Amino acid sequence: MSASRRIDVGGAHPYPIHVGPGLLDDGAALAAHVRGRHVLLVSDGNVAPRYAARVVAALAAHSQAAAMVSVIAPGEASKSLQGFSELLRELADFGATRDACVLALGGGVVGDLAGFAAACWMRGIDVVQLPTTLLAMVDSSVGGKTAVDLPQGKNLVGAFHPPRAVFADTTTLRTLPDRELRAGLAETAKYGAIADAAFLAWLDANATALLGRDDDALAEAIGRSCAHKAAIVARDPFEHGDRALLNFGHTFAHAIEAEQGYAAGSGALNHGEAVAVGMVLAARLSALLGLSAPADADALAATLQRLGLSTAPPPGLDPAGLLARMRLDKKAAANGLRFILWEGPGRARVVAGVPESSVLQVLQ
Ligand code: GLY
């Protein structure tokens, strides 16, 4: 087994990200982040049966804190105000004090919901993120964004609440469904696309190993992705500037996700799959606007395809409907459509006032 690697997030609220096999069993490392007498472990009905008891047992060997496990229903529907108030009720019933710690064990839904409950309980208690999906390991567990959805849109209520630590146990990826693995790989490619041409080339060259769940290849991809995210969020924790680059492909992706319906069936794209399509559309838009070469967009699409991802929008989505969704995107600015556009491998920038006619041309 390979050794763990550590990436440090700097800034006003520094914290470590640990990546490696077996971290969920490292009770001493987990206990080092528990300050008080209460630990609420939040997980979902898919992840809890596999790992919750292991984490609680590992912690108990090194901490006197009482641990309670809260299991939410798997899926985006749990990321609601109702799910949030349920966690607050559990913290209240538990008698959780200001030094309590929430452990968020699962994917992005668990991390966002448990993180938001931790951000609000007694105006903010500790949260340690224990991501078990590749997407959560390389994106949502790092950077402190927490939120729940409203019927009007995703992530509309939330807070920036950095974790005390992140432990990404790579052995959890062995049982991750293939589609979720590929969705996470899309986000790793995003870091290469916006910040690191050499990493993008590395992902392309190592696609077979990554899809084959080679431990070392996955740990390398996670570590390099987290290093990029750590650098960006340390510079711009509240997304006033550079952090927006992390949304490369996301304006198109959010529109696709919204148009197909978040609760859509198994044929619909999941978030990472939609980001893969969105990145290629953003790259084609960039080429149309003269910011990059069309061949760059083709090469990005080829890399994503080698990572097992589809790069064409799902059939049947109406371009005008997608455009209307983009106008409503909370990242849209007052002066027209705002996109993260691409200047070729490793370089991206925020561009406001993108003509709708160009967006429509790319969507058609
Ligand atoms: N997922 C984008 C961000 O954390 O800013």
Side-chain angles (χ1 to χ4, degrees):
M1 261 194 183
S2 52
S4 293
R5 53 195 85 197
R6 171 179 170 143
I7 300 105
D8 285 289
V9 182
H13 301 282
Y15 54 94
I17 304 165
H18 301 278
V19 180
L23 293 173
L24 292 183
D25 299 310
D26 190 344
L30 295 173
H33 299 286
V34 174
R35 296 186 295 131
R37 293 172 291 118
H38 302 93
V39 173
L40 180 70
L41 185 150
V42 182
S43 192
D44 73 22
N46 290 334
V47 177
R50 286 183 198 274
Y51 307 116
R54 261 172 62 188
V55 173
V56 169
L59 196 59
H62 296 271
S63 166
Q64 301 296 314
M68 190 169 103
V69 177
S70 175
V71 181
I72 65 169
E76 188 74 24
S78 291
K79 235 180 85 173
S80 62
L81 285 174
Q82 195 189 335
F84 167 69
S85 69
E86 181 63 20
L87 286 188
L88 295 185
R89 190 190 58 71
E90 292 189 1
L91 284 161
D93 290 350
F94 195 23
T97 44
R98 298 185 93 157
D99 52 7
C101 181
V102 170
L103 300 182
L105 173 69
V109 167
V110 167
D112 281 9
L113 175 67
F116 187 44
C120 296
W121 178 250
M122 295 196 173
R123 299 195 181 91
I125 59 172
D126 294 343
V127 60
V128 172
Q129 294 282 350
L130 307 176
T132 60
T133 66
L134 184 57
L135 194 73
M137 288 178 188
V138 299
D139 187 19
S140 56
S141 68
V142 177
K145 280 189 180 176
T146 71
V148 295
D149 303 335
L150 293 184
Q152 290 84 351
K154 277 184 77 169
N155 297 327
L156 287 180
V157 181
F160 286 98
H161 188 58
R164 283 269 158 191
V166 180
F167 292 89
D169 184 337
T170 49
T171 62
T172 62
L173 300 178
R174 292 180 190 160
T175 52
L176 192 69
D178 285 339
R179 281 187 68 185
E180 290 197 42
L181 183 79
R182 297 194 294 260
L185 291 174
E187 293 279 358
T188 65
K190 179 189 75 180
Y191 296 106
I194 64 169
D196 187 344
F199 182 40
L200 194 59
W202 182 91
L203 288 167
D204 189 282
N206 288 275
T208 305
L210 291 161
L211 289 170
R213 298 172 198 244
D214 178 275
D215 283 332
D216 288 332
L218 284 171
E220 177 72 9
I222 297 163
R224 287 172 82 164
S225 298
C226 286
H228 283 297
K229 181 141 190 190
I232 289 178
V233 300
R235 287 202 297 279
D236 180 20
F238 302 116
E239 199 170 312
H240 296 313
D242 271 12
R243 184 165 180 166
L245 299 179
L246 296 175
N247 298 321
F248 179 52
H250 283 57
T251 301
F252 284 109
H254 288 160
I256 291 169
E257 288 176 279
E259 269 301 271
Q260 68 183 6
Y262 289 108
S266 57
L269 299 185
N270 64 29
H271 178 66
E273 291 168 336
V275 167
V277 174
M279 288 192 291
V280 172
L281 291 171
R284 298 212 187 286
L285 178 61
S286 307
L288 187 67
L289 297 174
L291 294 173
S292 61
D296 287 335
D298 293 340
L300 178 62
T303 297
L304 291 165
Q305 285 159 14
R306 270 191 277 282
L307 292 169
L309 290 148
S310 168
T311 54
L317 290 185
D318 172 30
L322 291 170
L323 187 61
R325 296 278 183 184
M326 290 183 214
R327 287 193 202 108
L328 290 176
D329 193 297
K330 66 181 184 299
K331 294 180 174 77
N335 61 342
L337 293 176
R338 185 170 161 270
F339 283 86
I340 313 306
L341 293 183
W342 201 46
E343 298 175 314
R347 285 175 297 129
R349 69 175 154 105
V350 183
V351 178
V354 174
E356 292 193 356
S357 56
S358 303
V359 178
L360 269 180
Q361 205 176 323
V362 164
L363 288 170
Q364 280 149 359

